[in-house]
Amino acid sequence: MGINDERDIEANLQIGPTDAGMIRLFVTSSNGAEIPMDFDPDEAEEIADEIRAAAQTARRAGKKRR
């Protein structure tokens, strides 16, 4: 399975700071899985930049397909 393969699983994503000064991405799925991922603030900024870059690429790809 890759990034372009669809799955029929529902998941929820929560993002927030922890009391330890980390940023937590917390994923829960409909099958009961819970995945906490903690990042220091610098790592979280890098992830945010990657998400923004992916959003820009997706927008360009969507415009080409129309």
Side-chain angles (χ1 to χ4, degrees), residues 39-53:
F39 303 93
D40 67 43
D42 291 334
E43 289 174 309
E45 289 285 347
E46 289 177 23
I47 292 166
D49 291 342
E50 290 179 28
I51 291 171
R52 285 186 201 96

Side-chain angles (χ1 to χ4, degrees), residues 5-61:
D5 297 323
E6 291 188 27
R7 299 240 178 149
D8 198 21
I9 298 173
E10 291 185 29
N12 294 309
L13 173 65
Q14 296 177 0
I15 303 170
T18 69
D19 57 4
M22 302 291 280
I23 308 304
R24 177 166 291 165
L25 303 183
F26 190 73
V27 181
T28 57
S29 71
S30 58
N31 65 3
E34 294 183 346
I35 305 169
M37 296 180 282
D38 291 351
F39 303 93
D40 67 43
D42 291 334
E43 289 174 309
E45 289 285 347
E46 289 177 23
I47 292 166
D49 291 342
E50 290 179 28
I51 291 171
R52 285 186 201 96
Q56 288 178 339
T57 301
R59 280 191 191 99
R60 285 192 299 270

